[in-house]
Amino acid sequence: MSTDITTAVPAAPRGPSAMQRLVGLNLVRSLLVSLGVLVIGVVLLESTDAYTNTQLSSVTYFTIAAIGLTALTGLNGQISLGHGALMAVGAYTTALMLDTDSPLPFPVIALAAILVTSLVGFVVGIGAARLHGPYLAGATLAFAIALPSVALYYKGTFNGEAGLTVVAPQPPEWFVSFIDAVSGTFATGSKYVAYLGLFALVIALFFALNLGRSKVGRHWRAVRDQEVAAEIAGINLGRTRVQAFVISAAYAGLAGAVMAMVVRLAAPTVFTLVLSLSLLTAVVIGGLGSITGAFIGSAVLVFLPPLVTDLSTESGLSDTQSAQMSPLIYGIVLVLVMLLAPGGVMGTLSMAWRRQRARRQLTATPTKKG
């Protein structure tokens, strides 16, 4: 009686395939996620009307700034209330560079906005490197309040309180042909700006995903969680904090460049303290340290106010009363999140998933009888 060797000897466990190993690489995984966001963005822009396109444009620059603030606050533990002022630096740089007879391409202008804002962030970061918690928040708050006065002081360059009108770039021929081939519609200037914001968001997302999983991101988390242990391990605390602030400022500069083209204005009234607080609120609602949370918080920031205003108007309130309902509802949402879900949307979902997985593992483990 013979025995089949394939049934007698258990098969050795197979390792991951080449495709699984490739997808497991951080760089490839980040690229796939970024391409997925790009495809979703194109579908949304081509399936919605012009007004929603403008709202999606707003989501892009809010998300870019929120990702930078997430990196600073969620990964490195620094609290900033001055990112609205950093966005103003990027916006004014963009407005000045576009206000010429032959403006440079937007990628060059965006890179210049990033570099100028990073330089400002470097100066602020050096000053704030030794500050923590409320002291750091106070320092960045003072920066957010003081910076708009620069535009008022140098009125000849920045046009004072009225600000600079931003001339948005016109869509090139290849873009018009591409949109006509994809959706059969005409590519307006607003749609071109929306696509520029989408591409800027995808690039920012790609770098953020790699940053969080890199050695630099691990150093940031070490400084955030146990700065004494991190210092013993050889991590320079001051240099790490300045590095985090500069990279976060670069994100704010890119967000300001996109915002300048969407709003078509760079003025002190646009970049108030409310903008900085709104960014921090978006990060808190979405979940500290979560890039997905930055998307969710930014979407809430853009879509909730007009939704509340429309519902209030339909219920019989006057236009003034409806406009006042938006910040009220937004504040209520923030308070509810802080009380019921202090980890934000993504933090709460992640905790619920971990509890469910632990419950399944406990159920699957056989009980030992004594």
Side-chain angles (χ1 to χ4, degrees):
M1 180 177 168
S2 64
T3 305
D4 190 354
I5 191 171
T6 57
T7 56
V9 179
R14 292 186 300 177
S17 64
M19 181 59 71
Q20 289 174 327
R21 288 197 298 271
L22 185 62
V23 174
L25 294 175
N26 288 336
L27 191 65
V28 177
R29 190 163 48 187
S30 302
L31 183 62
L32 291 176
V33 172
S34 302
L35 289 176
V37 171
L38 177 63
V39 172
I40 293 173
V42 171
V43 172
L44 288 176
L45 288 176
E46 293 306 318
S47 59
T48 54
D49 56 14
Y51 176 69
T52 309
N53 278 190
T54 304
Q55 288 183 309
L56 292 173
S57 304
S58 301
V59 172
T60 59
Y61 65 72
F62 272 124
T63 305
I64 294 171
I67 289 176
L69 195 56
T70 293
L72 182 70
T73 305
L75 290 183
N76 197 234
Q78 300 187 66
I79 299 175
S80 172
L81 296 178
H83 266 52
L86 292 172
M87 289 177 67
V89 175
Y92 272 102
T93 304
T94 302
L96 290 173
M97 294 188 71
L98 283 174
D99 190 21
T100 60
D101 294 333
S102 300
L104 296 171
F106 175 71
V108 179
I109 295 176
L111 184 60
I114 290 172
L115 292 176
V116 173
T117 313
S118 299
L119 181 60
V120 175
F122 177 71
V123 175
V124 177
I126 288 179
R130 294 185 177 278
L131 301 178
H132 302 274
Y135 301 102
L136 176 60
T140 52
L141 176 65
F143 171 69
I145 295 174
L147 191 67
S149 62
V150 175
L152 303 178
Y153 186 79
Y154 296 100
K155 190 174 181 179
T157 304
F158 302 114
N159 201 24
E161 191 71 30
L164 300 173
T165 302
V166 179
V167 180
Q170 294 300 313
E173 289 296 330
W174 65 264
F175 178 78
V176 175
S177 302
F178 171 75
I179 295 300
D180 183 58
V182 170
S183 61
T185 59
F186 179 72
T188 62
S190 299
K191 178 166 286 191
Y192 180 54
V193 169
Y195 269 94
L196 290 178
L198 175 62
F199 280 112
L201 172 60
V202 169
I203 294 173
L205 173 64
F206 176 74
F207 280 104
L209 290 173
N210 283 285
L211 177 67
R213 297 162 183 155
S214 67
K215 180 181 177 181
V216 174
R218 291 194 293 273
H219 283 185
W220 289 11
R221 281 190 288 270
V223 172
R224 177 198 62 188
D225 296 335
Q226 292 290 339
E227 64 177 35
V228 176
E231 192 169 20
I232 292 174
I235 299 175
N236 188 315
L237 301 183
R239 186 172 59 191
T240 303
R241 291 195 177 104
V242 173
Q243 184 185 57
F245 205 94
V246 169
I247 292 178
S248 181
Y251 274 84
L254 179 60
V258 177
M259 183 178 182
M261 292 192 304
V262 175
V263 181
R264 307 285 176 91
L265 180 66
T269 52
V270 178
F271 303 97
T272 61
L273 182 59
V274 175
L275 176 61
S276 298
L277 296 177
S278 299
L279 290 175
L280 190 59
T281 303
V283 172
V284 171
I285 290 177
L288 285 175
S290 170
I291 293 179
T292 306
F295 277 84
I296 295 174
S298 300
V300 172
L301 199 65
V302 173
F303 289 105
L304 183 61
L307 177 63
V308 171
T309 302
D310 292 343
L311 292 177
S312 301
T313 304
E314 292 174 1
S315 63
L317 296 179
S318 64
D319 293 342
T320 304
Q321 291 172 328
S322 300
Q324 293 173 345
M325 287 295 292
S326 297
L328 174 63
I329 297 299
Y330 194 75
I332 292 175
V333 170
L334 178 61
V335 171
L336 290 177
V337 169
M338 295 294 291
L339 291 177
L340 304 177
V345 175
M346 292 308 300
T348 303
L349 292 177
S350 177
M351 186 177 298
W353 181 79
R354 286 198 296 268
R355 286 176 178 172
Q356 183 66 25
R357 186 178 63 175
R359 192 175 297 115
R360 286 200 304 267
Q361 291 176 346
L362 186 63
T363 305
T365 302
T367 305
K368 295 182 179 179
K369 295 182 179 179

